[in-house]
């Protein structure tokens, strides 16, 4: 598959065929993803392939709780956990305890333990050169040293006819995940990735055109066009 096709068709896939994905293929995806950039080339990623049935069920339970917290925001018309005031998260905008107890039926989260491949992606905090630390706003730079790696997994999967989704909802339950999976203190959970053979091939992705998000010189500048 050509690069352009891979990039423009790597959409979120949340429904998979029952067909298993061989470990050799998962290894191949990671073997491609490892060429991702990271600040100072420190490659702070750490991947755990989640195979154990009990562990998967426990992770699904945690994900479902976190997903409910997410959906409670969506229902209230809010961007979940967004840094409000434009700069920082100032605390829950909805009642999180009440939200976590609610059920939001969603086939993906309700059957998360059954996905063909489950990867937990962690990052070593001490490997992150977080150049926007100390600014009076939500820090963003650190993620740049791990999510290119995660997206490379998605791109590599797509190029081989596989599909999946990068998820972060469960990061709300990082302490519980850490306890379950033996995550050392100096690490953080970046993503839980689900992969498999898509039930449906991703169709056209809905994305804004370049002119909508690119201007010349200033935010108010002319839209950038060739
Ligand atoms: C940083 C990040 C976090 C995400 N977290 C979740 C998640 O927790 N659960 C989920 O189902 N999808 C998650 N997604 C997938 C997005 O919902 C998806 O990429 C977006 O809706 C675009 O979908 P499309 O590529 O199919 O158009 C996440 C994506 C990114 C990039």
């Amino acid at each position: 598959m050509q690069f352009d096709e891979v990039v423009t068709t790597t959409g979120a896939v949340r429904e998979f065929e029952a067909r298993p994905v061989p470990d050799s293929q998962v290894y191949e995806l990671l073997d491609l993803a490892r060429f991702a950039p990271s600040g100072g080339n420190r490659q702070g990623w750490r991947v755990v392939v989640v195979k154990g049935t009990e562990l998967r069920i426990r992770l699904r339970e945690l994900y479902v709780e976190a997903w409910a917290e997410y959906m409670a925001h969506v229902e209230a018309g809010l961007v979940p956990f967004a840094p409000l005031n434009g700069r920082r998260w100032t605390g829950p905008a909805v009642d999180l305890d009440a939200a976590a107890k609610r059920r939001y039926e969603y086939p993906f989260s309700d059957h998360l333990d059954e996905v063909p491949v489950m990867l937990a992606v962690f990052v070593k905090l001490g490997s992150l050169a977080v150049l926007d630390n100390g600014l009076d706003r939500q820090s963003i730079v650190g993620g740049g040293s791990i999510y290119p790696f995660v997206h490379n997994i998605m791109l590599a999967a797509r190029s081989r006819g596989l599909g999946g989704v990068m998820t972060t909802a469960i990061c709300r339950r990082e302490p519980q995940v850490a306890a379950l999976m033996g995550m050392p203190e100096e690490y953080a959970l970046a993503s839980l990735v689900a992969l498999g053979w898509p039930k449906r091939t991703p169709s056209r992705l809905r994305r804004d055109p370049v002119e909508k998000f690119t201007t010349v010189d200033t935010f108010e500048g002319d839209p950038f066009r060739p």
Side-chain angles (χ1 to χ4, degrees):
M1 200 184 284
Q2 291 291 307
F3 175 79
D4 289 14
E5 189 183 350
V6 173
V7 174
T8 55
T9 61
T10 302
V13 172
R14 299 186 182 84
E15 285 181 89
F16 307 102
E17 290 177 2
R19 187 155 57 111
V21 180
D23 279 354
S24 57
Q25 198 134 27
V26 176
Y27 184 95
E28 194 179 279
L29 304 184
L30 296 170
D31 199 27
L32 290 168
R34 72 192 169 91
F35 288 93
S38 57
N41 196 24
R42 287 181 197 90
Q43 303 167 58
W45 39 78
R46 180 78 162 76
V47 180
V48 177
V49 183
V50 185
K51 293 187 176 235
T53 308
E54 286 307 311
L55 177 58
R56 276 173 165 242
I57 290 170
R58 195 61 201 108
L59 292 177
R60 186 246 293 155
E61 289 167 352
L62 293 169
Y63 186 98
V64 164
E65 283 176 20
W67 184 249
E69 293 184 358
Y70 181 97
M71 286 307 295
H73 286 81
V74 174
E75 254 187 7
L78 301 165
V79 177
F81 303 99
L84 296 175
N85 313 322
R87 303 195 76 79
R88 275 190 191 284
W89 189 62
T90 48
V94 299
D95 182 342
L96 293 182
D97 291 335
K101 288 188 191 103
R102 275 193 58 184
R103 291 280 297 118
Y104 289 85
E105 275 182 35
Y106 190 42
F108 174 70
S109 36
D110 293 344
H111 297 275
L112 184 64
D113 52 306
E114 297 163 27
V115 296
V117 178
M118 186 187 285
L119 305 176
V121 181
F122 302 90
V123 65
K124 192 173 188 179
L125 291 168
S127 76
L128 301 175
V130 186
L131 274 289
D132 60 352
N133 256 336
L135 296 184
D136 184 24
R137 62 157 173 76
Q138 167 72 45
S139 175
I140 185 71
V141 171
S145 285
I146 187 64
Y147 293 111
F149 171 81
V150 180
H151 192 53
N152 267 3
I153 298 175
M154 312 315 301
L155 294 171
R158 175 72 190 121
S159 75
R160 277 140 177 79
L162 288 157
V165 60
M166 155 189 331
T167 77
T168 52
I170 199 172
C171 297
R172 296 217 43 81
R173 294 292 184 276
E174 182 182 279
Q176 293 90 328
V177 174
L180 284 168
M181 302 183 70
M183 181 190 90
E185 211 175 75
E186 71 262 36
Y187 279 80
L189 175 62
S191 183
L192 193 70
V193 174
L195 294 167
W197 301 104
K199 267 200 176 157
R200 278 176 301 278
T201 309
S203 51
R204 280 178 80 83
L205 305 184
R206 284 183 300 113
R207 302 290 190 266
D208 292 335
V210 173
E211 292 81 356
K212 178 127 187 242
F213 58 83
T214 315
T215 51
V216 179
D217 288 338
T218 66
F219 271 64
E220 287 76 35
D222 292 335
F224 175 75
R225 290 196 182 88

